[in-house]
Amino acid sequence: MATNRYRTAAHSRYTIFYHIVILPKYRRKIFQHQDIEQATKSALKELAFYHEWIIEELENDTDHIHIFLSAPPRYSPSEIVRLLKTWT
């Protein structure tokens, strides 16, 4: 069964996905702490809900976090990264 991955807006139909990897300064292993990991993930989910992004995958290792998301075409990739880094 194939799922429809297209999203629609007022005058467009799109399927845009971004794979973003965020690294902490000096690649410190901050995500090994459970409370920091949960706080970061909840902040990212809240930001995605506010901007109408869909987070497909959200995984982390001890020193980085992977975000695979779909965003409307009105957001440039640099703006998405800027917002993600500002909120986290």
Side-chain angles (χ1 to χ4, degrees):
M1 183 168 123
T3 60
N4 189 2
R5 302 208 31 131
Y6 290 102
R7 295 176 61 194
T8 56
H11 299 284
S12 63
R13 184 173 176 169
Y14 59 92
T15 177
I16 301 173
F17 293 101
Y18 299 107
H19 178 215
I20 300 168
V21 180
I22 296 178
L23 305 168
K25 191 171 183 178
Y26 304 121
R27 202 152 175 148
R28 292 195 172 125
K29 299 184 184 319
I30 62 168
F31 294 115
Q32 64 189 3
H33 303 291
Q34 200 71 342
D35 54 343
I36 294 175
E37 174 188 348
Q38 292 302 320
T40 304
K41 286 184 176 182
S42 66
L44 291 171
K45 289 176 184 176
E46 181 181 340
L47 178 67
F49 177 76
Y50 180 74
H51 289 286
E52 299 174 358
W53 302 338
I54 296 176
I55 296 180
E56 299 286 331
E57 293 288 329
L58 181 60
E59 298 295 329
N60 66 302
D61 200 5
T62 58
D63 60 351
H64 63 278
I65 191 163
H66 288 266
I67 307 162
F68 188 66
L69 61 86
S70 171
R74 66 179 173 264
Y75 293 103
S76 67
S78 61
E79 185 178 5
I80 293 171
V81 170
R82 181 183 58 81
L83 288 168
L84 290 172
K85 291 185 81 156
T86 299
W87 276 52
T88 57

